């Protein structure tokens, strides 16, 4: 694949929230720059979605295509890789309705993720926080942040307590916080 660059590598062409992926949020050679980020083509030399985009007018997002949602999206739904595909269609719909707001909300989720990774990643919680913040609505994450900040005034809670807050919110919404393999 040739050089492929995008203005928003944190929100992929197909609708994944790259900025919330564990591989995006890691250091070292395995770090993914996001869809169309610096040196993306070196990490992902062949991407069927990008090739499809080029054949269909080099669209910036799949939701802008006349054929959206195509068969590729029905094949995406059953399994996950590093990041969950469960919300791709709903996220694309939100982005199509108001891209500027969606990208802004995604930036806020990234800020939340950075906070939890810095303060509460016990060395094995990155995937959990990435998944939870990707799947839960931003309002729920804001409520969790408020609870954690209040607890921090007295004593910093343990990582397990913070993760429990996410699990409780997810359970109340019927969201399972595991990747589907």
């Amino acid at each position: 694949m040739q050089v492929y660059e995008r203005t928003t590598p944190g929100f992929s062409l197909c609708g994944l929230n790259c900025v919330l992926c564990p591989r995006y949020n890691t250091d070292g050679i395995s770090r993914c720059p996001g869809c169309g980020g610096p040196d993306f083509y070196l990490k992902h030399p062949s991407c069927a979605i990008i090739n499809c985009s080029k054949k269909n007018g080099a669209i910036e997002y799949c939701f802008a295509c006349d054929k959206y949602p195509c068969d590729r999206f029905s094949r995406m739904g059953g399994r996950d890789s590093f990041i969950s595909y469960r919300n791709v269609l709903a996220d694309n719909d939100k982005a199509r309705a108001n891209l500027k707001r969606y990208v802004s909300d995604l930036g806020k989720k990234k800020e939340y993720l950075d906070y939890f990774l810095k303060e509460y990643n016990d060395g094995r919680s990155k995937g959990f926080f990435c998944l939870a913040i990707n799947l839960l609505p931003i309002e729920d994450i804001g409520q969790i942040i408020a609870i954690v900040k209040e607890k921090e005034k007295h004593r910093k809670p343990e990582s397990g307590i913070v993760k429990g807050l996410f699990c409780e919110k997810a359970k109340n919404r019927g969201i399972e916080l595991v990747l589907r393999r």
Side-chain angles (χ1 to χ4, degrees):
M1 178 189 305
Q2 309 168 356
V3 172
Y4 176 72
E5 295 176 345
R6 299 180 64 249
T7 57
T8 55
F11 181 52
S12 75
L13 169 66
C14 66
L16 284 175
N17 296 319
C18 296
V19 70
L20 303 177
C21 178
R23 287 210 42 223
Y24 186 95
N25 289 285
T26 196
D27 296 323
I29 61 171
S30 68
R31 184 181 188 281
C32 178
C35 181
D39 296 331
F40 175 83
Y41 64 97
L42 297 174
K43 300 280 183 182
H44 304 281
S46 177
C47 174
I49 303 287
I50 293 170
N51 293 333
C52 181
S53 168
K54 288 178 180 179
K55 290 176 189 171
N56 287 286
I59 56 171
E60 185 75 7
Y61 300 99
C62 287
F63 64 75
C65 181
D66 293 338
K67 299 172 188 167
Y68 175 82
C70 66
D71 290 341
R72 292 183 192 281
F73 286 91
S74 62
R75 292 191 303 261
M76 261 187 213
R79 297 175 47 129
D80 298 320
S81 59
F82 294 101
I83 191 167
S84 177
Y85 290 84
R86 278 180 267 179
N87 290 350
V88 168
L89 290 173
D91 289 345
N92 272 325
D93 288 346
K94 289 177 196 171
R96 182 178 9 192
N98 189 334
L99 181 61
K100 187 174 179 178
R101 179 174 179 178
Y102 186 79
V103 170
S104 174
D105 286 350
L106 189 55
K108 188 67 174 172
K109 280 189 164 191
K110 172 64 169 139
E111 288 176 27
Y112 289 153
L113 177 61
D114 289 346
Y115 168 77
F116 285 110
L117 291 179
K118 181 178 181 255
E119 298 296 329
Y120 294 100
N121 181 13
D122 55 10
R124 54 181 193 248
S125 298
K126 182 191 300 180
F128 174 85
F129 286 124
C130 289
L131 180 64
I133 291 172
N134 189 35
L135 293 179
L136 286 171
I138 196 166
E139 299 80 19
D140 287 1
I141 303 162
Q143 291 170 2
I144 293 169
I145 282 272
I147 292 167
V148 169
K149 295 274 188 184
E150 187 61 33
K151 288 181 182 292
E152 287 176 346
K153 290 179 182 177
H154 307 287
R155 185 171 159 233
K156 185 175 179 178
E158 294 178 18
S159 177
I161 291 171
V162 174
K163 288 167 70 175
L165 295 170
F166 279 96
C167 290
E168 183 180 332
K169 286 284 187 191
K171 182 179 177 186
N172 291 341
R173 290 202 178 263
I175 297 171
E176 189 177 14
L177 294 181
V178 295
L179 290 174
R180 300 163 301 161
R181 301 284 179 179

